[in-house]
Amino acid sequence: MNESVEISVSESPVKTNRTALWRNIAFLLGGAVLLFMIYTIGIDQIWANVRQTGWWFLAIIGVWGVVYLINTIAWYAIIHEDESVRIPFYRVMQFTVSGYALNYVTPMGLAGGEPYRIMELRRYMPTEKATASVILYAMMHVCSHFFFWLSAAVLVAWYLPVVPTALSIALTVMASVSIALIFLFFKGYREGLVVKLFKILGKLPLVGKKVRNLKPETQEKLILIDTQIRSLRGKRKKAFYFSLGMEFLARVVSCLEILFILLALGQQAIYLDAFIVVALSSLFANILFFSPMQMGTREGGIFLAFKTLGITPGLSVSVSMITRIRELFWIMMGILIMKLNFHNKE
């Protein structure tokens, strides 16, 4: 990776101070939510679960270090689609980890991390390019979900000797919806999304009037963002498919977490079990995407997946708790990186 010297896009003192202010606000809010989560779970409960997994806990933490590294590679490929942009790889990884930390602690998933990433990238490139790269990466991240769920539907049908009728229907729906959404996302890559999205928003109550009255220069920026989104799919297909492949690989690697947890708890499990558990639980959690940190939704998904695979459903509570603790660790890392990242820069 190109570890080039940082070259920031010049910003006015007002913009620089505003960026620093929003970074501090994000840090404080993220830290407050993190402390609340730790208080809710309880230090004793956290320590008991860490002791239960033993040395496996280091492997569980390490899995997500690898996942975030792969995520960074995927986003780095998109950012450097424009050869005039040069951001050190370690900076992109800092923004990746911090962005996901904010996504974990905010409702609606993308409500915190994506604006933060755009804000930080503005130091290195124009706002339109920063916005386009973040939107593109978010689209890659979401689209890889659909490929992952489609793969899981095929694997469950092949792996289980007998598939219950209810599960067969659910898998058929999951596969059909995944294929449809993949088609829509590829259409968005080809034709652009931002301008169409704002046209839809313009027809809604409350926000519609403001969207319709956007300044001409703002509309031109939206068109430029869409142009850059189409450019990656149309002109740099190698970078496009590489980034999408990396995001899918990140999901495949993340399944090792469930495998390691099951092994730590003394279960006889194989990788395919973990793959199916992650796919079914993530599907269930994303249906109810508005829940911060997917509270309650993932536990239900893991419970149903365990029941389907013949794994003791009661273990779903321990498995869910350990994944929560792993998330707390990486949320803490992301928030610390957010604050320390530019400690001596501004």
Side-chain angles (χ1 to χ4, degrees):
M1 296 296 176
N2 185 5
E3 299 290 323
S4 56
V5 177
E6 295 179 41
I7 302 177
S8 300
V9 175
S10 60
E11 294 182 329
S12 66
V14 173
K15 285 186 177 181
T16 299
N17 292 335
R18 189 179 300 166
T19 299
L21 173 63
W22 282 111
R23 186 183 302 123
N24 288 333
I25 291 173
F27 171 79
L28 292 174
L29 288 177
V33 174
L34 174 63
L35 291 175
F36 175 76
M37 289 175 174
I38 293 174
Y39 173 78
T40 302
I41 296 174
I43 296 293
D44 293 341
Q45 185 72 12
I46 292 173
W47 178 240
N49 280 273
V50 171
R51 289 187 62 185
Q52 187 179 18
T53 56
W55 289 105
W56 280 107
F57 188 72
L58 295 179
I60 294 165
I61 293 294
V63 164
W64 279 86
V66 175
V67 169
Y68 288 137
L69 175 62
I70 298 172
N71 291 149
T72 304
I73 293 172
W75 190 22
Y76 189 86
I78 292 173
I79 291 173
H80 287 78
E81 181 266 340
D82 184 345
E83 295 181 357
S84 65
V85 176
R86 283 293 175 265
I87 306 177
F89 182 80
Y90 74 91
R91 285 292 191 215
V92 181
M93 186 156 187
Q94 288 174 333
F95 303 154
T96 298
V97 176
S98 295
Y100 279 123
L102 289 175
N103 281 344
Y104 273 126
V105 299
T106 53
M108 308 298 288
L110 304 179
E114 312 320 310
Y116 163 78
R117 288 169 178 164
I118 293 172
M119 178 188 71
E120 297 293 12
L121 281 187
R122 288 174 55 196
R123 297 168 54 85
Y124 303 91
M125 62 181 72
T127 301
E128 297 79 17
K129 289 186 177 181
T131 303
S133 73
V134 171
I135 292 174
L136 272 168
Y137 174 68
M139 290 171 67
M140 290 292 186
H141 186 73
V142 173
C143 193
S144 68
H145 258 306
F146 307 143
F147 280 104
F148 187 67
W149 293 337
L150 181 60
S151 301
V154 174
L155 279 174
V156 170
W158 169 78
Y159 179 58
L160 295 181
V162 178
V163 181
T165 303
L167 181 59
S168 297
I169 295 173
L171 291 175
T172 302
V173 172
M174 182 169 73
S176 301
V177 171
S178 296
I179 292 172
L181 291 173
I182 289 170
F183 171 78
L184 290 176
F185 264 75
F186 270 73
K187 185 176 181 180
Y189 288 125
R190 186 174 62 251
E191 300 178 3
L193 282 176
V194 179
V195 173
K196 290 183 179 180
L197 176 61
F198 272 78
K199 286 182 179 179
I200 294 173
L201 292 175
K203 298 177 181 179
L204 298 178
L206 300 178
V207 298
K209 185 177 180 180
K210 292 184 177 180
V211 172
R212 290 192 299 270
N213 294 331
L214 287 175
K215 296 179 180 179
E217 55 266 29
T218 302
Q219 295 178 10
E220 291 176 2
K221 290 178 180 179
L222 296 178
I223 294 172
L224 178 59
I225 291 171
D226 259 351
T227 300
Q228 292 173 7
I229 290 174
R230 292 195 300 269
S231 174
L232 183 65
R233 174 67 177 85
K235 298 180 181 179
R236 293 205 60 195
K237 291 185 178 181
K238 185 177 180 180
F240 174 88
Y241 287 109
F242 174 79
S243 180
L244 182 59
M246 286 294 99
E247 278 299 301
F248 182 80
L249 176 62
R251 301 197 180 281
V252 171
V253 172
S254 72
C255 298
L256 290 173
E257 175 189 31
I258 298 297
L259 177 61
F260 292 163
I261 293 174
L262 289 173
L263 293 175
L265 296 177
Q267 295 295 302
Q268 296 294 323
I270 62 175
Y271 176 79
L272 277 178
D273 295 326
F275 189 99
I276 293 170
V277 168
V278 172
L280 294 180
S281 62
S282 69
L283 175 66
F284 192 77
N286 280 277
I287 290 173
L288 301 174
F289 60 90
F290 51 82
S291 174
M293 209 178 172
Q294 299 173 337
M295 286 292 186
T297 59
R298 185 189 307 159
E299 285 77 3
I302 292 176
F303 179 87
L304 293 175
F306 278 15
K307 193 172 181 180
T308 299
L309 294 170
I311 301 173
T312 306
L315 285 175
S316 62
V317 176
S318 295
V319 172
S320 299
M321 180 60 68
I322 294 168
T323 61
R324 294 291 178 205
I325 296 169
R326 180 269 302 167
E327 286 174 342
L328 289 176
F329 173 85
W330 282 106
I331 290 171
M332 179 180 65
M333 292 298 296
I335 291 173
L336 288 175
I337 289 172
M338 185 191 311
K339 184 61 178 175
L340 298 177
N341 188 14
F342 298 104
H343 185 69
N344 295 318
K345 293 287 182 183
E346 298 178 349

